[in-house]
C-alpha cells in the first residue's frame, strides 16, 4: 500500500510538531518539572528550528511582504538573543513560520494544551509529585501551585480566557463564561495575582455584554484604541521615570500597581538606558528549578515597556510600539471587535508584567504575522477567510 502525504499537509506538520513540543516544554519549564527537562532545552530548540527551516524549503515562494517580515523578525530575533535569552529568540521564528498557517487552528491547539498543562501541573503539586511552594508575608499568602512563581498560573489562565472568548466569540455559552469566572476567582484566591485576575474578569464582562449587544461591539471599535500600546507605554514610562514617593497620589498608584513604579524608577536610575540595549541579570521573586529563592537584591521590572527600554533600548522600543500600532490599525480595519478588545487588554497587561512576550502566556502573537501578510482573521468560530 502506498502512503501519499500531500505537500501542504507535510508543511503543516512541520509547523505543528515543533510548536506543540515548544509549548509543552515552555509550560513545563515554568513549573518544578523544569529540573527534569532543562538539560534537553537546547536540543529541543535546535530540533524546532530545523523542522521550521525544512517547512520553508518545501515549495518556498517568497513575496516582497515575506521579505519585509523576515527582515523585521531577523532584527527582533537578534535583539532577543542578545538581551533576553534563547526561549524568547524562538518566538519571531515561529511567528514568521506561521504567517500562512490557519491562525484559529494554532489558537485552538494552544488552548487545549494550556488547559491540560495548567490542570496537570496544579494536580501534580497537590498530589506531592512536585512542590507546592507557599509564600508568606505579613500582608498575604500566595500558593505557587507547582509553578516557580505565583504569577505564572494566573497568567496562563488569563491566556486561556482570552483564547476561549476569541475562539467562540458571541457563540460562547453562559456555562463557559461562568466556568471561566469561577476558575479565575479560585486561582486568584490561591495566588493573589490581583491585576491579572482583573484583566481576566474584564474580558469575561466584555464578552458577556458583547454576546447580547451588537451596539456595544461597535462602541468598542473606536479608532482611539489604535494607539493603546503607544499611549500606555509612554504614560507608564513617564510615570516610572518621574515617580516621586513624597507624592500621596503617586504613592497610592504605586501601591495599586504592586510597587511597580518605585521598583522601575530605582532600577532605571541604577542601570540607566540608551538607544541600544544592554545585557542585564535582573533578580525577581521567581524560584529556581529546585525551589530555591534568589537571594540577590530584587530589581526585576515587571512593566513590559520599561523592561524593553532598559534591556533593548529606545530604538527597539520604538520599533515595537510602531509595529503594535500598525497591528492595532489592521485589526480595527477588519472590524474584529473581539480581537480588538483582546489586544487592548494585552496593552494594559504590558503595564503589569513582561510575560506576554512569551507564547505560553500570549498565544495571540500568531495573529501578528497573518495580519502583516494582509490576511483576514476569521470573525466566525469555525472558518478563516483569506484575502
Amino acid at each position: 500500500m502506498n502512503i501519499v502525504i500531500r505537500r501542504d499537509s507535510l508543511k503543516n506538520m512541520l509547523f505543528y510538531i515543533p510548536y506543540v513540543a515548544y509549548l509543552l516544554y515552555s509550560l513545563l519549564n515554568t513549573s518544578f518539572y523544569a529540573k527534569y527537562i532543562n538539560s534537553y532545552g537546547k536540543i529541543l530548540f535546535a530540533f524546532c528550528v530545523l523542522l521550521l527551516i525544512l517547512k520553508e524549503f518545501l515549495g518556498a515562494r517568497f513575496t516582497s511582504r515575506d521579505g519585509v517580515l523576515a527582515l523585521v523578525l531577523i532584527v527582533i530575533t537578534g535583539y532577543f538573543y542578545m538581551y533576553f535569552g534563547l526561549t524568547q529568540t524562538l518566538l519571531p521564528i515561529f511567528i514568521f513560520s506561521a504567517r500562512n498557517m490557519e491562525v484559529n487552528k494554532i489558537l485552538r491547539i494552544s488552548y487545549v494544551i494550556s488547559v491540560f498543562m495548567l490542570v496537570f501541573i496544579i494536580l501534580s503539586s497537590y498530589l506531592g509529585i512536585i512542590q507546592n511552594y507557599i509564600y508568606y508575608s505579613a500582608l498575604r499568602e500566595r500558593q505557587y501551585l507547582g509553578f516557580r512563581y505565583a504569577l505564572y498560573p494566573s497568567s496562563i489562565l488569563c491566556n486561556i480566557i482570552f483564547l476561549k472568548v476569541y475562539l467562540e466569540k458571541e457563540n460562547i455559552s453562559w456555562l463557559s463564561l461562568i466556568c471561566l469566572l469561577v476558575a479565575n476567582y479560585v486561582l486568584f484566591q490561591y495566588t493573589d495575582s490581583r491585576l491579572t485576575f482583573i484583566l481576566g474578569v474584564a474580558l469575561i464582562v466584555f464578552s458577556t455584554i458583547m454576546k447580547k449587544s451588537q451596539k456595544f461591539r461597535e462602541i468598542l471599535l473606536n479608532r482611539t484604541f489604535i494607539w493603546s500600546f503607544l499611549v500606555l507605554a509612554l504614560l507608564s514610562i513617564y510615570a516610572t521615570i518621574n515617580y516621586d514617593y513624597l507624592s500621596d497620589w503617586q504613592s497610592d498608584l504605586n501601591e495599586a500597581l504592586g510597587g511597580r513604579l518605585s521598583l522601575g524608577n530605582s532600577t532605571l536610575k541604577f542601570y540607566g538606558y540608551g538607544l541600544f540595549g544592554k545585557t542585564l541579570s535582573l533578580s525577581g521573586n521567581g524560584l529556581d528549578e529546585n525551589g530555591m529563592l534568589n537571594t540577590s537584591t530584587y530589581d526585576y521590572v515587571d512593566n513590559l515597556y520599561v523592561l524593553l527600554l532598559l534591556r533593548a533600548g529606545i530604538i527597539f522600543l520604538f520599533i515595537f510600539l510602531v509595529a503594535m500600532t500598525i497591528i492595532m490599525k489592521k485589526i480595527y480595519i477588519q472590524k474584529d471587535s473581539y480581537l480588538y478588545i483582546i489586544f487592548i487588554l494585552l496593552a494594559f497587561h504590558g503595564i503589569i508584567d513582561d510575560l506576554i512576550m512569551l507564547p505560553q502566556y500570549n498565544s495571540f502573537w500568531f495573529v501578528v504575522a497573518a495580519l502583516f501578510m494582509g490576511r483576514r482573521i476569521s470573525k466566525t468560530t469555525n472558518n478563516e477567510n483569506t484575502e
Side-chain angles (χ1 to χ4, degrees), residues 14-15 52 55-56 92-101:
L14 289 174
F15 175 84
L52 294 176
K55 172 184 173 294
E56 293 304 318
I93 300 174
F94 272 108
I95 290 175
F96 180 78
S97 185
R99 68 195 184 280
N100 295 316
M101 302 290 293

Side-chain angles (χ1 to χ4, degrees), residues 176-215:
S176 294
L177 288 171
I178 292 171
C179 288
L180 290 174
L181 185 62
V182 170
N184 197 31
Y185 178 75
V186 170
L187 210 58
F188 165 66
Q189 290 298 308
Y190 282 98
T191 65
D192 196 27
S193 301
R194 292 165 294 179
L195 300 177
T196 310
F197 166 74
I198 291 171
L199 285 177
V201 171
L203 184 59
I204 293 171
V205 171
F206 284 136
S207 179
T208 301
I209 301 172
M210 292 163 74
K211 182 176 172 64
K212 302 298 292 183
S213 173
Q214 174 67 30
K215 183 65 177 177

Side-chain angles (χ1 to χ4, degrees), residues 274-314:
L275 288 176
F276 301 98
K278 58 182 69 176
T279 303
L280 299 174
S281 180
L282 302 176
S283 299
N285 277 335
L287 307 173
D288 67 15
E289 59 189 37
N290 295 309
M292 301 301 294
L293 189 63
N294 194 323
T295 56
S296 303
T297 302
Y298 185 94
D299 60 359
Y300 196 88
V301 179
D302 286 317
N303 185 305
L304 169 65
Y305 311 114
V306 176
L307 190 67
L308 287 176
L309 175 65
L310 184 68
R311 276 189 160 172
I314 295 172

Side-chain angles (χ1 to χ4, degrees), residues 34 45 85 110 151 164 182 257 259 291:
F45 292 165
S110 302
L151 192 58
K164 182 68 172 178
V182 170
L257 292 172

Side-chain angles (χ1 to χ4, degrees), residues 101-132:
M101 302 290 293
E102 184 183 345
V103 175
N104 278 3
K105 186 172 182 179
I106 298 174
L107 298 182
R108 282 193 293 270
I109 290 172
S110 302
Y111 171 77
V112 171
I113 292 176
S114 297
V115 171
F116 175 79
M117 293 306 297
L118 180 63
V119 173
F120 171 73
I121 292 170
I122 292 175
L123 286 179
S124 295
S125 71
Y126 273 92
L127 292 174
I129 300 173
I130 56 175
Q131 179 182 357
N132 179 19

Side-chain angles (χ1 to χ4, degrees), residues 222-236:
N222 189 303
R223 290 184 63 91
T224 306
F225 294 125
I226 290 174
W227 307 97
S228 296
F229 281 90
L230 179 62
V231 170
L232 290 173
L234 293 178
L235 285 176
S236 61

Side-chain angles (χ1 to χ4, degrees), residues 2 13 15 33 90 109 128 132 137 153 239 326 334 379:
N2 294 325
M13 288 173 57
F15 175 84
Y33 279 110
L90 266 80
I109 290 172
N132 179 19
S137 72
I326 293 172
Q334 292 194 7
K379 290 188 177 183

